[in-house]
Amino acid sequence: MAAKDDPIIIKKYANRRLYNTGTSTYVTLEDLAEMVKKGEEFTVQDAKTGDDITHPVLTQIIFELENKDGQNMLPIPFLRQLIAYYGDQMQMIVPSFLEQSMLAFSKEQERFREQMKGALGKSPLDMMKITTPIKALEEQTRRNMEMFQNAMRLFTPFPPAGTAPAATPTPEPARKETADKPDDLQELKDQIAAMQRKLDTMS
């Protein structure tokens, strides 16, 4: 018998029917969507083979939700970009990036909801403060994109064709410049000391 904290097993049969072994009832994709919203963990198994088919079933739920009027959450540019990453060398880091982004977004979302609850019944001035967590979400998204772009650079060691390979040696002059600075400083100190000695002799 499955432990209390174990994910609920949903069995999918050849006739596409879904069976919740936890409640011993047949369920629909909408029921599974509600379980996700409630935070109930489940895995979907092929009733015949026992294979884990959670991923395709969750993808199917998203497809169904996206096709409902007024429920589109995935913008077309995002979908195009996501499709473009399939088969690309970036494909291996995209899942991790999306997972971390959604975790960060969820944390900010909880904070936003708490502030929304606290702002109910307050003055319009207090309500205006709600824009703060929204800005925080936007900032988090911007940081995530920067992190993702930096990660992509790590996986793209060769510069695009036509770019000058002199980009890497740029730190060298910087090091030389910093190395010269102590000499310049010492020279300035020597000049001040010499002037001080001249003043001493004149007094």
Side-chain angles (χ1 to χ4, degrees):
M1 186 176 178
K4 187 180 179 182
D5 294 334
D6 285 349
I8 299 165
I9 304 297
I10 308 292
K11 291 188 177 293
K12 186 175 183 181
Y13 291 90
N15 58 6
R16 296 186 179 182
R17 295 194 74 183
L18 299 161
Y19 184 77
N20 186 330
T21 60
T23 59
S24 301
T25 55
Y26 284 99
V27 292
T28 63
L29 289 176
E30 286 186 1
D31 294 327
L32 295 186
E34 285 303 315
M35 289 174 69
V36 171
K37 291 175 184 178
K38 291 175 184 175
E40 297 179 22
E41 292 287 334
F42 63 84
T43 59
V44 186
Q45 295 179 356
D46 186 294
K48 187 177 181 180
T49 64
D51 292 342
D52 189 330
I53 54 171
T54 308
H55 186 279
V57 170
L58 291 177
T59 306
Q60 188 179 356
I61 290 172
I62 292 172
F63 176 78
E64 295 289 337
L65 292 172
E66 282 290 310
N67 277 283
K68 284 188 176 180
D69 291 337
Q71 288 207 172
N72 304 91
M73 279 205 306
L74 303 176
I76 289 176
F78 172 80
L79 291 172
R80 291 184 190 278
Q81 196 170 22
L82 194 61
I83 291 168
Y85 283 131
Y86 282 95
D88 188 86
Q89 59 182 352
M90 293 297 103
Q91 183 175 342
M92 60 190 295
I93 63 170
V94 170
S96 176
F97 166 74
L98 293 176
E99 185 177 359
Q100 292 303 316
S101 296
M102 288 305 293
L103 285 172
F105 183 82
S106 296
K107 288 177 183 176
E108 292 295 337
Q109 181 192 41
E110 286 305 313
R111 206 152 60 98
F112 178 68
R113 282 178 175 169
E114 288 302 316
Q115 291 198 11
M116 280 287 287
K117 286 178 186 175
L120 288 175
K122 293 190 178 181
S123 66
L125 187 63
D126 292 327
M127 290 295 287
M128 286 173 66
K129 293 177 182 176
I130 294 175
T131 56
T132 305
I134 294 175
K135 288 177 181 175
L137 289 176
E138 291 174 350
E139 178 62 21
Q140 182 65 48
T141 304
R142 187 187 64 77
R143 285 199 301 266
N144 286 344
M145 284 307 299
E146 285 179 357
M147 180 184 72
F148 185 49
Q149 287 165 356
N150 290 335
M152 286 200 297
R153 289 191 194 102
L154 291 176
F155 285 84
T156 315
F158 302 107
T163 54
T168 16
T170 46
E172 193 58 40
R175 282 200 299 270
K176 187 176 184 298
E177 187 181 338
T178 52
D180 289 344
K181 280 183 180 177
D183 295 338
D184 295 341
L185 186 62
Q186 187 59 47
E187 187 179 346
L188 185 60
K189 285 181 179 178
D190 292 343
Q191 288 175 0
I192 292 171
M195 288 176 67
Q196 185 64 49
R197 284 195 298 271
K198 187 175 280 189
L199 287 170
D200 291 341
T201 55
M202 290 173 65
S203 59

